[in-house]
Amino acid sequence: MFGLPTTTIVLVGGAFLLIIIALLYWGLTFKETPS
Amino acid sequence: MIDPVAAALVAIYFIAMVGIGIWASKKIHNMSDYVVAGRSLDFWVFTFLMIGSVCSGMSLLGVSGLGYKYAWPTIWEQLAVPLSIAFCIIFFGVKMHAVAKKSGYMTVQDYLAYRFGSDKSLRGMSATAGIIVSMIYLAGQYTAISIVLMWLFGIPHWIALLIGAAIVTLYTVIGGLYAVAWTTLIQGLILILGVLIMAPIVIMAAGGFTHINEVMAAVNPTNVDPWVTGAGAVFTPEYIFSFVLLLTIGLACAPHVINNILSVKNANTFKWAPLVAFGIYAVVMFLLKFSGFAGIVLVNEGVMQLPKVPNASDFVFVYGVQAALPSMFLWGIFAVIVLAAVMSTTDRLMLTIGTYFSWDIYKKILKPDAPDKQVLLVSQISVFAAAAVTLLLAISPPDMLVWLIWAGIGIMFATFAVPMLSGLYWRRATREGALVSMALGLVASLVFGGISYFKLAKLPMHFSFYAFVIAVIAMIVVSLMTKPTSEKILDETMTGWYIQK
């Protein structure tokens, strides 16, 4: 796909998704502090 | 010939920046206003300030340059650099902001000095290292400003340098962090929109994403692999590991990045800023890298030729835009984009140098009884002095400048990361451990950097990684051998294995 080997797509895409999920989790579990 | 429309675009941009500086100067009443913008930054201004501080002119030109030179194995940079912003906010920001707000810290050194009970030696060493690294970085940024103005208008190097430096110094000196943050918001928007428009044009001119990858694979099959192995390979798995660590943690604790944390108004900003900053900047970084890949095709198919200079790859984005857009007007827009990227880092670096000197060295070490107004004046003078010294460096850049800029991030990583992380998370970390770790990290990064620069030995990983490991060992061994820090200070500085309680 896209002229790229599967390993490249899986590794780079996987790492990107993993970071997004981790940061989403951070946002959802962040404890709000009174302003 | 100077195109009047392109010149007008650049002039409007410059006037707008100075205008923001004048507006911001009215908000400056004391040192806190100048250094941490009165701790008033909200979500978007802070998020863009973080992106703008990390994204420099070097990122813009160097990222595509690295992609052109080493192809897909360099793609990890696109994840590591945006991740550095998230790392800084999550691992340094949340705790440090809470402690700083209570204690009124102006700089990271205020935190280090109190956490490790060392108001002179650790503060002095840390501030001095921060100033030196920032100045090296700054000289490189000025060179980038001059490259863009010379390319567009064909004016001599020193005049280009003087115009760029005068504008950025003016608004930073008068407006402090208020001016830096608000100009960065505008610069960030210009940069993001600019890359979103320009990079796809360059990629399409090279035949589209799939065609680019096919041509790259035909030139060399390893061009599309996630890493390379074997003799002479640079981006090997172990090198990539150290490279990712260097960029993610090294940039996160860089003085001009981490100090932004102290200017945030409300801790709730830290909830979504990591994801938003990562998302926006990752898209920009990927597009820039793909433009570098497009350069391989454009050169290979004879559409463009790079100049015959040692750092030809750094010109790939500029020449790619020139090949894809045959209009001086659009080049003017492109020049503003690059200038925005350069200036968003330059102003933050100058302010960091001014603050470290006036607050950490002048007020906290040399003249503790100096009144606020005097410290503010010293800060403004030091921003001006920093601009003057780095301007001289940039007029006649030393041969080692490019290497020094890279080494700068490595030195920050080896010097600041260990005392910062262990100070925040390890209760057993002591003053002596921090001092030895910082000093050894600095010396070791210079030694391993020298080995790498003079090619005395082949290092399989980035040189800063070895210095980082030495700093970690020094921190653990020396801390365990010395008297623990008092429980009162550890509780006050929220030290422990948690981010939020």
Side-chain angles (χ1 to χ4, degrees):
Chain A
M1 201 165 49
F2 304 121
L4 289 170
T6 315
T7 355
T8 306
I9 295 175
V10 170
L11 285 173
V12 178
F16 181 77
L17 276 180
L18 209 66
I19 294 172
I20 293 285
I21 291 167
L23 297 179
L24 204 60
Y25 177 76
W26 163 263
L28 291 172
T29 56
F30 185 89
K31 278 177 260 172
E32 305 260 350
T33 51
S35 52
Chain B
M1 201 192 101
I2 298 177
D3 181 73
V5 183
L9 274 174
V10 175
I12 291 169
Y13 168 73
F14 279 163
I15 292 167
M17 294 303 111
V18 175
I20 293 175
I22 293 168
W23 164 79
S25 68
K26 301 197 191 318
K27 290 169 152 300
I28 308 295
H29 304 294
N30 54 40
M31 198 56 188
S32 166
D33 292 337
Y34 193 73
V35 172
V36 288
R39 299 182 210 281
S40 67
L41 300 192
D42 61 13
F43 181 84
W44 287 107
V45 181
F46 167 73
T47 305
F48 274 84
L49 180 63
M50 288 298 272
I51 295 175
S53 301
V54 169
C55 178
S56 62
M58 253 173 56
S59 330
L60 208 67
L61 305 179
V63 162
S64 40
L66 197 69
Y68 172 80
K69 207 169 172 183
Y70 295 107
W72 269 90
T74 64
I75 201 71
W76 304 102
E77 181 189 24
Q78 275 44 58
L79 297 175
V81 176
L83 190 60
S84 72
I85 303 174
F87 189 95
C88 179
I89 296 171
I90 295 172
F91 290 101
F92 298 133
V94 177
K95 266 190 185 184
M96 201 169 288
H97 180 264
V99 180
K101 212 167 181 183
K102 254 193 303 188
S103 320
Y105 295 160
M106 297 276 216
T107 65
V108 167
Q109 272 67 247
D110 282 341
Y111 161 77
L112 285 173
Y114 188 67
R115 163 64 181 86
F116 291 113
S118 166
D119 205 40
K120 294 234 162 110
S121 41
L122 195 65
R123 183 190 288 277
M125 196 196 298
S126 171
T128 310
I131 289 172
I132 293 170
V133 169
S134 300
M135 283 187 110
I136 294 168
Y137 227 72
L138 197 51
Q141 300 302 324
Y142 275 132
T143 314
I145 293 183
S146 116
I147 286 172
V148 174
L149 293 181
M150 276 167 67
W151 165 73
L152 190 68
F153 298 131
I155 50 178
H157 176 61
W158 70 272
I159 295 180
L161 213 51
L162 214 60
I163 296 172
I167 302 288
V168 78
T169 307
L170 181 64
Y171 76 70
T172 309
V173 166
I174 61 173
L177 191 65
Y178 272 115
V180 169
W182 282 95
T183 51
T184 300
L185 181 71
I186 311 288
Q187 288 156 347
L189 286 171
I190 294 174
L191 170 78
I192 291 159
L193 285 175
V195 172
L196 286 178
I197 296 165
M198 295 283 173
I201 292 174
V202 175
I203 294 165
M204 293 316 288
F209 188 59
T210 304
H211 177 70
I212 290 171
N213 289 326
E214 284 164 359
V215 173
M216 282 164 73
V219 172
N220 182 352
T222 62
N223 270 347
V224 288
D225 286 342
W227 51 69
V228 279
T229 49
V234 178
F235 282 86
T236 57
E238 60 270 26
Y239 187 84
I240 290 170
F241 171 74
S242 61
F243 188 60
V244 166
L245 219 57
L246 162 74
L247 294 179
T248 307
I249 308 177
L251 271 173
C253 61
H256 65 288
V257 177
I258 195 168
N259 276 285
N260 294 335
I261 293 295
L262 307 178
S263 60
V264 170
K265 183 179 180 184
N266 192 325
N268 290 344
T269 295
F270 300 139
K271 184 179 169 80
W272 293 113
L275 181 66
V276 173
F278 176 83
I280 293 175
Y281 198 32
V283 170
V284 170
M285 286 287 280
F286 272 106
L287 282 173
L288 284 171
K289 185 57 63 84
F290 295 157
S291 305
F293 296 165
I296 298 177
V297 179
L298 293 172
V299 169
N300 198 54
E301 294 180 346
V303 179
M304 71 173 190
Q305 264 189 327
L306 291 182
K308 290 189 173 33
V309 290
N311 60 335
S313 58
D314 288 341
F315 287 76
V316 72
F317 193 38
V318 177
Y319 277 63
V321 169
Q322 211 168 342
L325 297 167
S327 153
M328 278 287 268
F329 167 70
L330 294 168
W331 297 357
I333 295 181
F334 179 69
V336 171
I337 296 166
V338 181
L339 285 173
V342 176
M343 288 170 123
S344 68
T345 310
T346 310
D347 52 12
R348 188 65 187 100
L349 280 165
M350 291 206 304
L351 192 68
T352 304
I353 295 170
T355 310
Y356 276 21
F357 183 77
S358 62
W359 184 257
D360 289 309
I361 296 178
Y362 184 76
K363 165 85 179 169
K364 293 288 181 176
I365 297 177
L366 298 177
K367 213 171 168 197
D369 55 348
D372 204 55
K373 283 248 184 284
Q374 195 180 64
V375 182
L376 182 59
L377 185 67
V378 171
S379 185
Q380 288 171 319
I381 293 170
S382 15
V383 169
F384 190 77
V389 172
T390 41
L391 204 61
L392 286 176
L393 262 176
I395 281 179
S396 170
D399 292 343
M400 281 174 80
L401 185 65
V402 175
W403 179 84
L404 279 172
I405 292 167
W406 268 105
I409 306 177
I411 295 169
M412 293 179 215
F413 175 45
T415 312
F416 296 113
V418 180
M420 291 292 308
L421 285 172
S422 52
L424 287 166
Y425 294 96
W426 190 37
R427 288 177 81 88
R428 194 61 187 81
T430 66
R431 172 181 175 271
E432 293 76 10
L435 274 169
V436 175
S437 149
M438 195 175 263
L440 271 183
L442 183 62
V443 172
S445 58
L446 294 175
V447 170
F448 282 100
I451 291 174
S452 163
Y453 181 73
F454 295 107
K455 297 188 172 61
L456 300 176
K458 169 98 179 79
L459 300 174
M461 296 169 109
H462 190 271
F463 76 81
S464 61
F465 182 75
Y466 305 95
F468 174 74
V469 172
I470 289 174
V472 171
I473 295 171
M475 173 58 92
I476 296 172
V477 172
V478 177
S479 288
L480 292 176
M481 285 166 61
T482 46
K483 201 171 143 249
T485 312
S486 86
E487 289 293 318
K488 180 179 166 279
I489 290 180
L490 293 175
D491 290 339
E492 279 173 3
T493 52
M494 300 169 79
T495 306
W497 294 109
Y498 62 90
I499 296 175
Q500 276 191 300
K501 256 191 176 168

